[in-house]
Amino acid sequence: MYIRRTSRRSRTGVTLLSLAALLVPACSSGGSTSSASPAAAQAALAALPSATPPALASYYGQKLRWRGCGAPGFECATMKAPLDYAHPDAGDVRLAVTRKKATGPGERLGSLLVNPGGPGGSAAGYLQQYAGIGYPAEVRARYDMVAVDPRGVARSEPVECLDGREMDAYTQIDGTPDDQRETDGLVGAYKKFAEGCGAHSARLLRHVSTIETARDMDILRAVLGDRRLTYVGASYGTFLGATYAGLFPERVGRLVLDGAMDPSLPARQLNLDQTAGFEAAFRSFAKDCARRSDCPLGTRPGDVGGNLKAFFSRLDARPLPTGDPAGRRLTESLATTGVIAAMYDESTWEQLREALTAALRDKDGAGLLVLSDSYYERDAEGGYSNLMFANAAVNCLDLPSAFDGPDAVRKALPAFRKASPVFGEGLAWAALNCTYWPVAPTGEPHRIEAKGAAPIVVVGTTRDPATPYRWARALSRQLSSARLLTYDGDGHTAYGRGSACVDSTINTYLLHGKPPASGKRCT
């Protein structure tokens, strides 16, 4: 499955999806059902008791020791949280926290916690590289900007699974198997990935759920001295923020959930919806490409998808050279990843056209490989961040798997191909990745109502490829205090992407506590 991930490649720095785990979680090795029972699907996340349990008092009362951390203007600290909230005496997990203090002028409003999504995106890196310097000056003036890498992510005891050489092999595996041999190869790759995670990160794998991370955020809120949580979360960060609201509704301050997820859906439906989202984004790209003189895929929008699919088929038989020092060639899977990466932000469409032109006309796959590598967070030395590992670890704990084996994928292929003639087949097979996970899921689909919470702003973009607009509408209907803000546009998420209407609406909410009227639309 494709996963949501963060990339600083885009001008906004908000979340993207990476390949290989989509936003769908998975199941144990024995396989599980692909959808929740009706009772489970209708259940709402229950709030926790308002009083802090005595067993957690030492965590809520800890003092952070701030220090410089190499980024000018930022401080870093380490926060402790219980590895297992059900057994707080079973040990700690250490979480990396970073902040940039309010710059003034104006009265300080408290802390603003940010999360760019993933799961697996480094919130600390996002703060230091974008939010702490790129958020509107008036917001940074009034808030201490704060981020914590979630448990298992980046600097917070990262989940590890495969080394760079093994990841190179994993990313190149044929993701659209044509026969039993290729199916066995894909299944073998997923099993090796899962086994690597189990071997290298056994202690953490059962304790990286979204609910546990949301509870960590409440400890951080208290440690920072804030009575309520103020938060901006993008993509998966909306699921994390909504989960916090469901657990601690009375502690909700000003929450912005941008590029919202629908927590009530089972994994297979999430994958299918997202497949349709990528198709919608691709149609926008195709229309834009076809009217440009440098479009390598044709002059009619209706031809672009078919020509791209034919190109992928040729790569399946004969990968292209890339000049890569490690000897990697551009396979169908790597090319697909590169194209998907460009769907997140329309500012990348020009780069995609150039990369496709080089591949189609000059038989040079280097440009698409660059896009794919940025998506996977692979560096020039062949090393990978832990994004892919943490993403799978969280997703595979949060929901039962979309499929219980290859036969189930094959049965679902018609629906996925209908959702996206270009990407559907690959996305269906990608949803198999967590089927062989070494630990059983702890979550189920559920509604989040957060009754009693202060107004929460839910933001949806009409042609968002990764978090379809329908999810924002669904979440806004679940949350009892939600106000839906719609951005009629392309790309993943809306805040900080160039819409003065969106930005001013969210800034007014963050600075003055005035949410928009539900149903407000921006272009």
Side-chain angles (χ1 to χ4, degrees):
M1 302 164 265
Y2 286 78
I3 61 183
R4 286 153 302 145
R5 69 159 249 217
T6 302
S7 169
R8 283 305 314 126
R9 197 173 41 73
S10 73
R11 71 173 182 263
T12 63
V14 295
T15 15
L16 301 187
L17 278 211
S18 319
L19 277 188
L22 195 57
L23 44 93
V24 243
C27 62
S28 62
S29 358
S32 69
T33 59
S34 60
S35 61
S37 67
Q42 292 301 314
L45 183 65
L48 292 172
S50 57
T52 300
L56 300 180
S58 64
Y59 294 103
Y60 275 82
Q62 66 186 295
K63 303 295 183 183
L64 298 184
R65 298 178 61 183
W66 296 99
R67 62 190 184 282
C69 49
F74 291 88
E75 301 174 298
C76 292
T78 300
M79 185 186 86
K80 293 192 297 184
L83 175 68
D84 182 352
Y85 276 92
H87 302 94
D89 57 351
D92 301 333
V93 60
R94 295 178 177 272
L95 307 176
V97 183
T98 187
R99 76 175 176 187
K100 187 176 185 182
K101 288 187 174 181
T103 58
E107 179 186 1
R108 178 183 173 277
L109 295 175
S111 305
L112 171 57
L113 190 65
V114 297
N115 183 283
S122 172
Y126 172 73
L127 181 70
Q128 293 178 359
Q129 297 167 25
Y130 173 68
I133 54 178
Y135 261 41
E138 57 268 38
V139 173
R140 292 182 283 116
R142 306 287 299 281
Y143 284 101
D144 291 346
M145 301 291 293
V146 180
V148 55
D149 279 346
R151 50 176 65 205
V153 174
R155 306 169 201 178
S156 294
E157 299 194 21
V159 170
E160 297 294 344
C161 301
L162 303 177
D163 63 25
R165 180 181 56 81
E166 291 169 329
M167 275 298 292
D168 277 349
Y170 179 74
T171 60
Q172 294 176 72
I173 198 72
D174 190 337
T176 55
D178 300 315
D179 53 33
Q180 190 59 47
R181 180 184 61 83
E182 291 183 350
T183 300
D184 291 344
L186 182 60
V187 168
Y190 288 149
K191 287 181 176 179
K192 183 174 181 178
F193 186 98
E195 290 165 359
C197 298
H200 297 297
S201 301
R203 176 178 179 268
L204 272 177
L205 284 191
R206 288 177 174 82
H207 298 292
V208 290
S209 69
T210 297
I211 283 180
E212 288 164 311
T213 295
R215 297 191 69 172
D216 296 342
M217 290 203 310
D218 194 56
I219 292 177
L220 179 58
R221 172 204 58 78
V223 168
L224 292 171
D226 294 315
R227 188 171 64 88
R228 295 189 173 191
L229 180 75
T230 299
Y231 173 85
V232 177
S235 198
Y236 163 78
T238 68
F239 180 37
L240 179 58
T243 299
Y244 180 90
L247 295 174
F248 305 104
E250 78 284 359
R251 296 174 192 167
V252 168
R254 300 168 188 178
L255 262 61
V256 177
L257 308 180
D258 184 11
M261 286 184 62
D262 179 359
S264 72
L265 297 177
R268 188 179 302 186
Q269 190 61 50
L270 286 170
N271 278 269
L272 197 56
D273 284 356
Q274 193 175 61
T275 299
F278 278 112
E279 182 66 20
F282 180 74
R283 287 198 199 108
S284 288
F285 166 76
K287 183 177 179 180
D288 179 81
C289 186
R291 64 185 176 85
R292 297 178 183 272
S293 60
D294 64 344
C295 181
L297 294 171
T299 57
R300 295 188 302 180
D303 294 339
V304 172
N307 290 336
L308 180 62
K309 191 173 180 180
F311 169 60
F312 288 159
S313 295
R314 294 195 295 273
L315 289 177
D316 191 25
R318 185 173 296 179
L320 290 179
T322 63
D324 176 60
R328 293 177 301 155
R329 296 172 71 82
L330 184 71
T331 62
E332 179 189 12
S333 56
L334 290 173
T336 303
T337 305
V339 174
I340 289 243
M343 293 301 101
Y344 286 88
D345 191 332
E346 63 270 29
S347 70
T348 317
W349 290 356
E350 180 180 2
Q351 182 182 357
L352 176 60
R353 291 196 307 273
E354 293 172 353
L356 286 168
T357 297
L360 287 160
R361 298 181 184 174
D362 304 327
K363 309 302 180 188
D364 179 3
L368 284 170
L369 185 64
V370 166
L371 283 167
S372 178
D373 283 352
S374 69
Y375 203 52
Y376 281 119
E377 294 192 358
R378 182 191 191 273
D379 61 33
E381 287 70 44
Y384 289 76
S385 77
N386 97 307
L387 168 68
M388 299 300 301
F389 313 141
N391 181 278
V394 175
N395 281 333
C396 294
L397 207 57
D398 274 352
L399 282 180
S401 178
F403 298 114
D404 61 8
D407 288 345
V409 177
R410 293 188 187 99
K411 290 177 182 177
L413 283 176
F416 277 79
R417 288 176 179 137
K418 181 178 180 180
S420 176
V422 178
F423 304 115
E425 185 172 355
L427 286 168
W429 283 105
L432 187 64
N433 76 309
C434 281
T435 301
Y436 310 100
W437 202 245
V439 300
T442 57
E444 289 280 359
H446 55 268
R447 291 177 298 108
I448 300 179
E449 298 173 352
K451 292 180 179 178
I456 298 170
V457 176
V458 176
V459 188
T461 297
T462 56
R463 293 181 295 281
D464 190 318
T467 52
Y469 178 64
R470 68 175 67 179
W471 292 356
R473 288 189 299 178
L475 181 62
S476 70
R477 290 166 182 159
Q478 291 171 47
L479 291 169
S480 62
S481 61
R483 307 290 180 88
L484 177 62
L485 173 63
T486 296
Y487 173 51
D488 187 359
D490 296 294
H492 186 36
T493 71
Y495 187 42
R497 288 178 48 82
S499 169
C501 173
V502 169
D503 292 354
S504 64
T505 300
I506 292 175
N507 292 345
T508 296
Y509 171 63
L510 291 175
L511 293 171
H512 305 293
K514 182 180 179 182
S518 193
K520 179 170 183 175
R521 297 183 70 92
C522 294
T523 58

